[in-house]
Amino acid sequence: MNQSERTIRTVLDANELTPMDVVGVLCITLVAGLTSGLWGVAAGVLVLAVAAATTGPLAFVVAQLTAVSFFGDTSLVALGGAQLAAFPLLASAACAWPPDRSRLVRLAAG
C-alpha cells in the first residue's frame, strides 16, 4: 500500500477503532461466545484489545487464530462463519477511504 494513500485510519488521524473494527470484533465475539462460552468471550476481548492497540491486519490475524483454535476440529460451517465474522477487521485494515468496492471484492475473494 502506498504511504500517501488515504486509509480509514489516516483519515481519522488516530489509531482508534473504526466502525468496521467494531463490527468485526462484535461478530467474532458473538460467534466464539455462542459456541465456546466464556473462552469465546475472552477471545473476543483479546481481539478487541489488539484492534484498539495496533494498526494494520494484526487484529484480523488474532481473530483468525481464534477461529482456527476454537473451530478447527468442528464443522467447516462453524469455521467458515468465524472466518466471515472476522472479515470486517481485514477490510478495515486494508480498505482505502472512501471504500473502494472493487478492492473489497478482491479482498473477499482472496
Side-chain angles (χ1 to χ4, degrees):
M1 185 182 329
N2 239 347
Q3 289 294 347
S4 63
E5 187 173 341
R6 293 176 46 152
T7 65
I8 292 172
R9 291 185 191 275
T10 58
V11 168
L12 292 175
D13 196 30
N15 186 26
E16 58 191 33
L17 292 176
T18 65
M20 292 171 95
D21 288 330
V22 173
V23 168
V25 168
L26 288 176
C27 287
I28 196 70
T29 302
L30 182 67
V31 168
L34 287 176
T35 57
S36 300
L38 285 177
W39 285 111
V41 174
V45 170
L46 175 66
V47 171
L48 174 63
V50 171
T54 63
T55 60
L58 189 58
F60 175 73
V61 171
V62 172
Q64 292 297 309
L65 291 174
T66 298
V68 169
S69 66
F70 283 140
F71 307 114
D73 59 347
T74 60
S75 71
L76 287 176
V77 173
L79 182 60
Q83 299 287 330
L84 288 175
F87 180 74
L89 293 168
L90 180 61
S92 174
C95 185
W97 189 259
D100 181 12
R101 185 178 302 234
S102 65
R103 180 180 280 179
L104 284 175
V105 169
R106 289 191 311 266
L107 192 61

